[in-house]
Amino acid sequence: MRMFSEDQKAKPQLPNRESRSKSDSYEDLYKKFHSNPELSGQESATAELIAEHLRFHEAFTIHEKIGGHGIAAVLRNGPGKTILLRADIDALPILEQTDLPYASKKTQKDKNGIIRPVMHACGHDTHIVSLLAAAGHLAITRSSWSGSLVLVFQPAEENGQGAQAMVDDGLYSRFGIPIPDIVLGQHVGPFRGGNVTICNGVMLGAADSFKITFFGRGGHGSAPDKTIDPIVMASSAVLRLQTIVSREINPKEEEAVVTVGSIQAGQAENIIPDQAVMLLNIRTIDEKTREKVLASVRRIVKAEADASGAIQPPTVEQISRFPLTRNDQVSTERLIAAFEKTFGSNFDSTFPGSSASEDFSILATAIGKPYIYWAFGGIDPDIWDDAVKNGKYIAGNHTPFFAPCIQPTLKTGTDALCTAALTFF
Ligand SMILES: [Zn+2]
Ligand SMILES: [Zn+2]
C-alpha cells in the first residue's frame, strides 16, 4: 500500500484552471485553519476554505451548508463499498496561550452576543487538514481502488449538535449521497506524535448535561423562617449528588463521573432568592450505568427539594446528550491488522477508553451502519519523551496551551484515514 507520506507534498493537478494553479501546502493550510478558528455553529469561513480546497479535486461532488456549515463531498469511483470519512471543524471559546507563530488572536460573538476568544483547542484543525490531505491522496491514486468515498466535514461537535443536525438536514436523503457501509473518524490527543491508538470496544463515554432549577420562596435575609432557601436546597443536592459515584457505582464493574459545573442563585447578601439553577454533567461508559446514574440524579434532586419543603419539585431539563462511542467489533479487528502494518510499533490497540465524548457515532447509528473511531498523537515526540522521562506536564485538549506539532501529526492523521479507507474499499 502506498502511503500518503510518500507524496505528502503532491499538489492536486488541475492544468485547465489557471485561477487554481496555486494551492497551499497542507502545512500552510493547517496554519491558516489554526489562526482562524470559529465557534460551534459559526464555522462559515472554515467551511468555505474547506470547500475551496476540495474544488481542486474535480472528482468530488461537493454539497455545502448541511445542518449549518456542514459539508459532504462524494467521489464515485466504480463499483464497491462506500466509505465515509469524517472530520469535525469547530473550535472553542478559549484564549490561546501557546507561543506558536500562527496562534489564534481571533474573537467571535457567541450565541448570547458576548465576544469570546476562539481557539482550535481541541485540535479539530488537525482533523480537517488530515481529511483534506487523505482526500487528495485518495483522489490522485483512485486508479488503485474502487468504490465510493464520502467525506463529511461536520460542524458543531463541541456542543453535540452537529452530527444530528446534518442527519436531520437530509445528509443521507436529500443529496443522493450513497449510504456508507462504514463510518470512520478520528481525534488528535495529547500523546506522542506519530502514534495511533484504538480499542475494540468502548472508545468514548456517553455525556449528558442537565439544567436543574430548584424552586424556593424568596424573602428577607433576616427572616429565614418565612422563606424556603433554594441555595441551601441546591447546596445539599450538590453534596448528595457526589454520593452517586462514591456509594452507588460498583467500583469493579461501572464507571461514572458526576460534575456540577455551575450554580447560579441570588443577587445580594441579605435577600433569600426564590430559585437556584444548577448545571450538571454526567459521563458514563455503558447504557445500564447511564440509566442508573440519571435515575439517581432525578431521585436525589427531588428528594432534596422535598426535604427542604419546596413548594414545587425541581425541573430537570436535558441540555445536551452525547452517545457512547463503541467500535464495531468485526470491522475493528480488520482495521487493527491494517494499522499494525502501517504504523508498526507506533500503533497499539490497548486504548483504555476515555470519559470524553463525541457525537460522531450518530452519523452511523442514524443509518444502522457500523463505525470505527481511533485517536492519533499530537505531541512533538522529543517533547513527549522528555516529559515522560522527567515527569513534566503536557497540556491537553481544551486547554489554552494545547499545541499539536504540525508533523508528524498531520502525516499520521492522514495515513490513518487512508489506511482505514483502503482497508474497507
Ligand atoms: Zn473538544
Ligand atoms: Zn474534539
Coordinates of all heavy atoms in Angstrom, one line a residue, residues 172-244:
Y172 N -28.3 12.0 4.4 CA -28.5 10.7 3.7 C -29.7 10.6 2.8 O -30.0 9.6 2.2 CB -28.5 9.6 4.7 CG -27.2 9.5 5.5 CD1 -27.2 9.6 6.9 CD2 -26.0 9.3 4.8 CE1 -26.0 9.4 7.6 CE2 -24.8 9.2 5.6 CZ -24.8 9.3 6.9 OH -23.6 9.1 7.6
S173 N -30.4 11.7 2.7 CA -31.7 11.6 1.9 C -31.8 12.7 0.8 O -32.5 12.5 -0.2 CB -32.9 11.7 2.8 OG -32.9 12.9 3.6
R174 N -31.2 13.8 1.0 CA -31.5 15.0 0.1 C -30.6 15.2 -1.1 O -30.9 15.9 -2.0 CB -31.4 16.2 1.0 CG -32.4 17.3 0.6 CD -32.8 18.2 1.8 NE -31.7 18.9 2.5 CZ -31.2 20.0 2.1 NH1 -31.6 20.6 1.0 NH2 -30.3 20.6 2.8
F175 N -29.4 14.6 -1.0 CA -28.3 14.9 -2.0 C -27.9 13.8 -2.9 O -27.0 13.9 -3.7 CB -27.1 15.5 -1.2 CG -27.4 16.6 -0.3 CD1 -27.6 16.3 1.1 CD2 -27.5 17.9 -0.7 CE1 -27.9 17.3 2.0 CE2 -27.8 18.9 0.2 CZ -28.0 18.7 1.5
G176 N -28.5 12.6 -2.7 CA -28.1 11.5 -3.5 C -26.8 10.9 -3.1 O -26.1 10.2 -3.8
I177 N -26.4 11.2 -1.8 CA -25.1 10.7 -1.3 C -25.3 9.2 -1.0 O -26.3 8.8 -0.4 CB -24.8 11.5 0.0 CG1 -24.4 12.9 -0.3 CG2 -23.6 10.8 0.8 CD1 -24.3 13.8 0.9
P178 N -24.4 8.4 -1.5 CA -24.6 6.9 -1.3 C -24.4 6.6 0.2 O -23.7 7.3 1.0 CB -23.4 6.3 -2.0 CG -22.4 7.4 -2.3 CD -23.2 8.7 -2.3
I179 N -25.3 5.7 0.7 CA -25.2 5.3 2.1 C -23.9 4.6 2.4 O -23.6 3.6 1.8 CB -26.4 4.4 2.5 CG1 -27.8 5.2 2.2 CG2 -26.4 3.9 3.9 CD1 -28.0 6.4 3.1
P180 N -23.2 5.0 3.4 CA -21.9 4.4 3.7 C -22.1 3.0 4.2 O -23.0 2.7 5.0 CB -21.2 5.3 4.7 CG -22.3 6.1 5.2 CD -23.4 6.2 4.2
D181 N -21.1 2.0 3.9 CA -21.1 0.7 4.5 C -20.4 0.8 5.9 O -20.7 0.0 6.8 CB -20.4 -0.3 3.6 CG -21.1 -0.5 2.3 OD1 -22.2 -1.1 2.4 OD2 -20.6 -0.1 1.3
I182 N -19.6 1.8 6.0 CA -18.9 2.0 7.3 C -18.5 3.5 7.5 O -18.3 4.2 6.5 CB -17.7 1.1 7.5 CG1 -17.2 1.1 9.0 CG2 -16.6 1.5 6.5 CD1 -16.3 0.0 9.3
V183 N -18.6 4.0 8.7 CA -18.3 5.4 9.0 C -17.0 5.4 9.9 O -16.9 4.7 10.9 CB -19.5 6.0 9.8 CG1 -19.2 7.4 10.2 CG2 -20.7 6.0 8.9
L184 N -16.1 6.2 9.5 CA -14.7 6.3 10.1 C -14.4 7.7 10.6 O -14.6 8.6 9.9 CB -13.7 5.8 9.2 CG -13.9 4.4 8.5 CD1 -13.0 4.1 7.4 CD2 -13.8 3.3 9.6
G185 N -13.8 7.7 11.8 CA -13.5 9.1 12.3 C -12.3 9.0 13.3 O -11.9 7.8 13.7
Q186 N -11.7 10.1 13.6 CA -10.5 10.1 14.5 C -10.4 11.4 15.3 O -11.1 12.3 15.0 CB -9.2 9.9 13.6 CG -9.0 11.0 12.6 CD -7.7 10.8 11.8 OE1 -7.0 9.8 12.0 NE2 -7.5 11.7 10.9
H187 N -9.6 11.3 16.3 CA -9.3 12.5 17.2 C -7.9 12.6 17.5 O -7.3 11.6 17.9 CB -10.2 12.5 18.4 CG -10.5 13.9 18.9 ND1 -9.5 14.8 19.3 CD2 -11.7 14.6 18.9 CE1 -10.1 15.9 19.6 NE2 -11.4 15.8 19.4
V188 N -7.3 13.8 17.5 CA -6.0 14.0 18.0 C -6.0 14.1 19.5 O -7.0 14.5 20.1 CB -5.4 15.3 17.3 CG1 -6.0 16.6 17.9 CG2 -3.9 15.4 17.5
G189 N -4.9 13.6 20.1 CA -4.9 13.6 21.6 C -3.5 14.0 22.1 O -2.5 14.0 21.3
P190 N -3.4 14.3 23.4 CA -2.1 14.7 24.0 C -1.2 13.5 24.3 O -0.9 13.2 25.4 CB -2.5 15.4 25.3 CG -3.8 14.7 25.6 CD -4.5 14.2 24.4
F191 N -0.8 12.8 23.2 CA 0.2 11.8 23.4 C 1.2 11.8 22.2 O 1.1 12.7 21.3 CB -0.4 10.4 23.6 CG -1.4 9.9 22.5 CD1 -0.9 9.1 21.5 CD2 -2.7 10.3 22.5 CE1 -1.8 8.7 20.5 CE2 -3.6 9.9 21.5 CZ -3.1 9.1 20.5
R192 N 2.1 10.9 22.2 CA 3.3 11.0 21.3 C 2.9 11.1 19.8 O 2.2 10.3 19.3 CB 4.2 9.8 21.5 CG 5.6 10.0 21.0 CD 6.4 8.7 21.4 NE 7.9 9.0 21.3 CZ 8.6 8.9 20.1 NH1 7.9 8.6 19.0 NH2 9.8 9.2 20.1
G193 N 3.4 12.1 19.2 CA 3.1 12.3 17.7 C 3.6 11.1 17.0 O 4.7 10.6 17.3
G194 N 2.9 10.7 16.0 CA 3.3 9.5 15.2 C 2.6 8.3 15.6 O 2.5 7.3 14.9
N195 N 2.0 8.3 16.9 CA 1.3 7.1 17.4 C -0.2 7.1 17.1 O -0.8 8.2 17.0 CB 1.5 7.1 18.9 CG 2.9 6.6 19.3 OD1 3.8 6.6 18.4 ND2 3.2 6.3 20.5
V196 N -0.7 5.9 17.0 CA -2.1 5.8 16.8 C -2.6 4.7 17.8 O -1.9 3.7 18.0 CB -2.4 5.3 15.3 CG1 -3.9 4.9 15.1 CG2 -2.0 6.3 14.3
T197 N -3.8 4.9 18.3 CA -4.3 4.0 19.3 C -5.8 3.8 19.2 O -6.5 4.7 18.7 CB -3.9 4.5 20.8 OG1 -4.4 3.5 21.7 CG2 -4.6 5.8 21.1
I198 N -6.2 2.6 19.5 CA -7.6 2.3 19.3 C -8.0 1.2 20.4 O -7.1 0.6 21.0 CB -7.9 1.7 17.9 CG1 -9.3 1.7 17.5 CG2 -7.3 0.3 17.7 CD1 -9.5 1.5 16.0
C199 N -9.2 0.9 20.6 CA -9.6 -0.3 21.3 C -10.8 -0.9 20.6 O -11.6 -0.2 20.0 CB -9.9 -0.1 22.8 SG -11.5 0.7 23.1
N200 N -10.9 -2.2 20.7 CA -12.1 -2.9 20.1 C -13.2 -3.0 21.1 O -13.4 -4.0 21.7 CB -11.7 -4.3 19.6 CG -12.7 -4.8 18.6 OD1 -13.8 -4.3 18.5 ND2 -12.3 -5.9 17.9
G201 N -13.8 -1.8 21.3 CA -14.9 -1.7 22.4 C -15.3 -0.3 22.5 O -15.3 0.5 21.6
V202 N -15.5 0.1 23.8 CA -15.9 1.5 24.0 C -14.7 2.4 24.0 O -13.8 2.3 24.8 CB -16.7 1.6 25.4 CG1 -17.0 3.0 25.7 CG2 -17.9 0.8 25.4
M203 N -14.7 3.3 23.0 CA -13.6 4.3 22.9 C -13.9 5.5 23.8 O -13.0 6.0 24.5 CB -13.5 4.8 21.5 CG -12.7 3.9 20.5 SD -11.0 3.8 20.9 CE -10.3 5.4 20.4
L204 N -15.2 6.0 23.7 CA -15.5 7.2 24.4 C -16.8 7.0 25.2 O -17.7 6.2 24.7 CB -15.7 8.4 23.4 CG -14.5 8.7 22.5 CD1 -14.9 9.7 21.5 CD2 -13.3 9.2 23.3
G205 N -17.0 7.7 26.2 CA -18.2 7.6 27.1 C -19.4 8.4 26.5 O -19.2 9.2 25.6
A206 N -20.5 8.2 27.2 CA -21.7 9.0 26.9 C -21.6 10.2 27.8 O -21.0 10.1 28.9 CB -22.9 8.2 27.2
A207 N -22.2 11.3 27.4 CA -22.2 12.5 28.2 C -23.6 13.1 28.2 O -24.2 13.2 27.1 CB -21.2 13.5 27.8
D208 N -24.2 13.4 29.4 CA -25.5 14.0 29.5 C -25.3 15.3 30.3 O -24.7 15.3 31.4 CB -26.4 13.1 30.2 CG -26.8 11.9 29.4 OD1 -27.7 11.9 28.6 OD2 -26.1 10.8 29.5
S209 N -25.9 16.4 29.8 CA -25.9 17.6 30.6 C -27.3 18.1 30.9 O -28.2 17.9 30.0 CB -25.1 18.7 29.8 OG -23.8 18.4 29.7
F210 N -27.5 18.6 32.1 CA -28.8 19.0 32.5 C -28.8 20.4 33.1 O -27.8 20.8 33.8 CB -29.3 18.0 33.6 CG -29.6 16.6 33.0 CD1 -28.6 15.7 33.1 CD2 -30.8 16.3 32.4 CE1 -28.8 14.4 32.6 CE2 -31.0 15.1 31.9 CZ -30.0 14.1 32.0
K211 N -29.9 21.1 33.0 CA -30.1 22.3 33.8 C -31.2 22.0 34.8 O -32.3 21.6 34.4 CB -30.6 23.4 32.8 CG -30.9 24.7 33.5 CD -31.5 25.7 32.5 CE -32.0 26.9 33.2 NZ -32.6 27.9 32.2
I212 N -30.8 22.1 36.0 CA -31.8 21.8 37.1 C -32.2 23.1 37.8 O -31.3 23.8 38.3 CB -31.2 20.7 38.1 CG1 -30.9 19.5 37.3 CG2 -32.2 20.5 39.3 CD1 -30.2 18.4 38.1
T213 N -33.5 23.3 37.9 CA -33.9 24.5 38.6 C -34.6 24.1 39.9 O -35.6 23.4 39.9 CB -34.9 25.4 37.7 OG1 -34.2 25.6 36.5 CG2 -35.2 26.7 38.4
F214 N -34.1 24.6 41.1 CA -34.7 24.4 42.4 C -35.6 25.6 42.7 O -35.2 26.8 42.5 CB -33.7 24.3 43.5 CG -32.9 23.0 43.3 CD1 -31.7 23.0 42.6 CD2 -33.3 21.8 43.9 CE1 -30.9 21.9 42.5 CE2 -32.5 20.7 43.8 CZ -31.3 20.7 43.1
F215 N -36.8 25.3 43.2 CA -37.8 26.4 43.5 C -37.9 26.6 45.0 O -38.3 25.6 45.7 CB -39.1 26.2 42.8 CG -39.0 26.1 41.3 CD1 -38.9 24.8 40.7 CD2 -39.0 27.2 40.5 CE1 -38.8 24.7 39.3 CE2 -38.9 27.1 39.1 CZ -38.8 25.9 38.5
G216 N -37.6 27.7 45.5 CA -37.9 28.0 46.9 C -38.9 29.1 47.1 O -39.8 29.3 46.3
R217 N -38.8 29.8 48.2 CA -39.6 31.0 48.4 C -38.7 32.1 48.9 O -38.0 32.0 49.9 CB -40.7 30.7 49.4 CG -41.7 31.9 49.6 CD -42.6 31.8 50.8 NE -43.5 30.7 50.7 CZ -43.6 29.7 51.7 NH1 -42.9 29.9 52.8 NH2 -44.4 28.7 51.6
G218 N -38.6 33.2 48.1 CA -37.7 34.3 48.5 C -38.2 35.1 49.6 O -39.3 35.0 50.0
G219 N -37.2 35.9 50.2 CA -37.6 36.7 51.3 C -36.4 37.5 51.9 O -35.3 37.4 51.4
H220 N -36.7 38.2 53.0 CA -35.6 38.9 53.7 C -34.6 38.0 54.4 O -35.0 37.0 55.0 CB -36.3 39.9 54.7 CG -35.4 41.0 55.1 ND1 -34.3 40.9 55.8 CD2 -35.6 42.4 54.8 CE1 -33.7 42.1 55.9 NE2 -34.5 43.0 55.3
G221 N -33.4 38.4 54.3 CA -32.3 37.5 54.9 C -32.5 37.5 56.4 O -32.0 36.6 57.1
S222 N -33.2 38.4 57.0 CA -33.4 38.5 58.5 C -34.5 37.6 58.9 O -34.7 37.3 60.1 CB -33.7 39.9 58.9 OG -35.0 40.3 58.4
A223 N -35.3 37.0 58.0 CA -36.5 36.2 58.4 C -36.5 34.9 57.6 O -37.4 34.7 56.8 CB -37.8 37.0 58.1
P224 N -35.5 34.1 57.8 CA -35.4 32.8 57.1 C -36.6 31.9 57.3 O -36.9 31.1 56.4 CB -34.1 32.2 57.6 CG -33.8 32.8 59.0 CD -34.4 34.2 58.8
D225 N -37.2 32.0 58.4 CA -38.4 31.2 58.7 C -39.5 31.4 57.8 O -40.4 30.6 57.6 CB -38.8 31.4 60.2 CG -39.1 32.8 60.4 OD1 -38.2 33.7 60.2 OD2 -40.3 33.1 60.8
K226 N -39.5 32.6 57.1 CA -40.6 32.9 56.2 C -40.3 32.4 54.8 O -41.1 32.7 53.9 CB -40.9 34.4 56.2 CG -41.2 35.1 57.5 CD -42.6 34.8 57.9 CE -43.1 35.6 59.1 NZ -42.2 35.4 60.3
T227 N -39.1 31.9 54.6 CA -38.6 31.5 53.2 C -38.4 30.0 53.1 O -38.4 29.3 54.1 CB -37.3 32.3 52.9 OG1 -36.3 31.7 53.7 CG2 -37.4 33.8 53.2
I228 N -38.2 29.6 51.9 CA -37.6 28.3 51.6 C -36.4 28.6 50.8 O -36.5 29.0 49.6 CB -38.6 27.4 50.8 CG1 -39.9 27.2 51.7 CG2 -38.0 26.1 50.5 CD1 -41.1 26.6 50.9
D229 N -35.2 28.3 51.4 CA -34.0 28.8 50.8 C -33.5 27.8 49.7 O -33.0 26.7 50.0 CB -32.9 28.9 51.9 CG -31.7 29.6 51.4 OD1 -31.4 29.6 50.2 OD2 -30.9 30.1 52.2
P230 N -33.5 28.3 48.4 CA -33.1 27.4 47.3 C -31.6 27.2 47.3 O -31.1 26.2 46.7 CB -33.6 28.1 46.1 CG -33.6 29.5 46.4 CD -34.0 29.6 47.9
I231 N -30.9 28.1 47.9 CA -29.4 27.9 47.9 C -29.0 26.8 48.8 O -28.2 25.9 48.5 CB -28.7 29.3 48.4 CG1 -28.9 30.3 47.3 CG2 -27.2 29.0 48.6 CD1 -28.3 31.7 47.6
V232 N -29.6 26.7 50.0 CA -29.4 25.6 50.9 C -29.8 24.3 50.2 O -29.1 23.2 50.3 CB -30.1 25.8 52.2 CG1 -29.9 24.5 53.1 CG2 -29.5 27.0 52.9
M233 N -31.0 24.3 49.6 CA -31.5 23.2 48.9 C -30.5 22.7 47.8 O -30.2 21.5 47.8 CB -32.8 23.6 48.2 CG -33.8 22.5 47.8 SD -35.1 23.2 46.8 CE -35.9 24.4 47.9
A234 N -30.1 23.6 47.0 CA -29.1 23.2 45.9 C -27.8 22.7 46.5 O -27.2 21.8 46.0 CB -28.9 24.4 45.0
S235 N -27.3 23.4 47.6 CA -26.1 23.0 48.1 C -26.1 21.6 48.7 O -25.2 20.8 48.5 CB -25.7 24.0 49.3 OG -25.6 25.3 48.8
S236 N -27.2 21.2 49.4 CA -27.4 19.9 49.9 C -27.4 18.9 48.7 O -26.8 17.8 48.8 CB -28.7 19.7 50.6 OG -28.7 20.6 51.7
A237 N -28.1 19.3 47.6 CA -28.1 18.4 46.5 C -26.7 18.2 45.9 O -26.4 17.0 45.5 CB -29.1 19.0 45.4
V238 N -25.9 19.2 45.8 CA -24.6 19.0 45.3 C -23.8 18.0 46.1 O -23.2 17.1 45.5 CB -23.8 20.4 45.3 CG1 -22.3 20.1 45.0 CG2 -24.4 21.4 44.4
L239 N -23.9 18.1 47.4 CA -23.1 17.1 48.2 C -23.7 15.7 48.0 O -23.0 14.7 47.9 CB -23.2 17.5 49.7 CG -22.5 18.8 50.0 CD1 -22.6 19.2 51.5 CD2 -21.0 18.7 49.6
R240 N -25.0 15.6 48.0 CA -25.6 14.3 47.9 C -25.4 13.7 46.5 O -25.2 12.5 46.4 CB -27.1 14.4 48.1 CG -27.9 13.1 48.2 CD -27.9 12.6 49.6 NE -28.3 11.2 49.5 CZ -28.5 10.4 50.6 NH1 -28.4 11.0 51.8 NH2 -28.8 9.2 50.5
L241 N -25.3 14.5 45.5 CA -25.1 14.0 44.1 C -23.7 13.4 44.1 O -23.5 12.4 43.3 CB -25.1 15.2 43.1 CG -26.6 15.7 42.8 CD1 -26.5 17.0 42.0 CD2 -27.3 14.6 41.9
Q242 N -22.8 13.9 44.9 CA -21.4 13.3 44.9 C -21.4 11.8 45.4 O -20.5 11.1 45.2 CB -20.4 14.1 45.7 CG -20.2 15.5 45.1 CD -19.9 15.5 43.6 OE1 -19.1 14.8 43.1 NE2 -20.7 16.3 42.8
T243 N -22.5 11.5 46.1 CA -22.5 10.1 46.7 C -22.9 9.1 45.6 O -22.9 7.9 45.8 CB -23.5 10.0 47.9 OG1 -24.8 10.2 47.4 CG2 -23.1 11.0 48.9
I244 N -23.4 9.5 44.4 CA -23.8 8.6 43.4 C -22.6 7.8 43.0 O -22.6 6.5 43.0 CB -24.4 9.3 42.2 CG1 -25.7 10.0 42.5 CG2 -24.7 8.3 41.0 CD1 -26.3 10.9 41.4

